[in-house]
Amino acid sequence: MTELIAGVDEVGRGPLVGDVVTAAVILDPRHTINGLADSKKLSEKKRNILAAEIKEYALAWSIGRASPREIDELNILHATMLAMTRAVQELSIQPTHVMVDGNRCPNWHYSCESVVKGDGLIAEISAASIIAKVTRDQEMLALDQQHPEYGFAKHKGYPTAFHLAKLAELGPLSQYRMSFKPVQQSLALHDGQLAGS
């Protein structure tokens, strides 16, 4: 029996807003996808091209996520592990082995190893990092359409100086992670009122 290796990676632990998004990918050994790399090192255009190719040629791929509410309840690390578990469970083919980017595996029944900087070393993890990043970036662009004043298209929810200034000025939306310190500070400035409520 051939070994089916799934690569797993997450995007969005650091942002103040939106889901933490994970992806799981089992590549087809008969179809090499050229140019796979850590998604952060690729241009947006290149990521989008590769994401389409991965979705077309991978044996299986899936997205898992944890919501801002789950992040607030569990903390970001445990929410990320939950999102990774969901991604692997959603695969149409179940893997025989899982390789996770980072220094720990979720507490699950899969044969698993964690690989520090795996998104630059292991093709399956690179593929997962690309799909997760493209998915989350698209969600931030959609949020930007609804609330252009926050500049989500630019910073993708990460705590840049511009984003922190807008958050302080406007207050958090319901999509924010309320347990994150800058969001709590903004809530305090706005007497606990969410923007748009």
Side-chain angles (χ1 to χ4, degrees):
M1 179 177 154
T2 39
E3 197 173 31
L4 291 171
I5 294 172
V8 177
D9 200 6
E10 55 71 31
V11 171
R13 281 172 69 159
L16 307 175
V17 66
D19 295 349
V20 61
V21 175
T22 61
V25 178
I26 301 174
L27 292 174
D28 185 344
R30 294 162 309 192
H31 186 98
T32 303
I33 298 172
N34 293 315
L36 291 177
D38 172 1
S39 64
K40 296 184 286 298
K41 300 212 164 93
L42 298 167
S43 68
E44 186 178 353
K45 185 179 170 193
K46 183 74 177 150
R47 276 197 302 269
N48 289 335
I49 292 167
L50 282 167
E53 198 177 341
I54 293 160
K55 289 176 180 179
E56 188 174 346
Y57 292 109
L59 292 176
W61 66 272
S62 65
I63 295 289
R65 58 181 67 245
S67 68
R69 297 298 79 78
E70 289 172 320
I71 293 167
D72 291 338
E73 279 165 32
L74 299 170
N75 81 34
I76 187 64
L77 175 67
H78 289 100
T80 302
M81 295 294 144
L82 174 64
M84 286 182 171
T85 303
R86 286 171 173 164
V88 177
Q89 286 172 343
E90 281 296 309
L91 285 167
S92 56
I93 311 168
Q94 284 296 284
T96 52
H97 187 64
V98 184
M99 300 182 89
V100 175
D101 183 55
N103 59 5
R104 66 175 70 200
C105 289
N107 186 6
W108 56 16
H109 61 73
Y110 297 100
S111 155
C112 183
E113 67 188 285
S114 56
V115 185
V116 174
K117 296 199 172 22
D119 50 7
L121 299 169
I122 311 286
E124 287 82 359
I125 299 178
S126 300
S129 92
I130 290 164
I131 288 199
K133 176 122 181 77
V134 167
T135 300
R136 193 175 191 287
D137 282 358
Q138 285 168 346
E139 289 166 13
M140 287 294 106
L141 293 175
L143 193 59
D144 186 71
Q145 296 278 306
Q146 296 167 345
H147 304 281
E149 63 278 14
Y150 287 84
F152 294 120
K154 226 177 5 208
H155 53 66
K156 306 294 192 288
Y158 284 90
T160 62
F162 173 87
H163 185 193
L164 292 172
K166 285 294 170 193
L167 178 58
E169 177 196 336
L170 301 164
L173 300 159
S174 60
Q175 292 90 338
Y176 273 85
R177 302 169 181 182
M178 301 303 162
S179 58
F180 282 36
K181 200 169 177 188
V183 183
Q184 292 182 338
Q185 289 166 340
S186 171
L187 264 180
L189 284 175
H190 293 268
D191 299 326
Q193 284 294 306
L194 292 179
S197 59

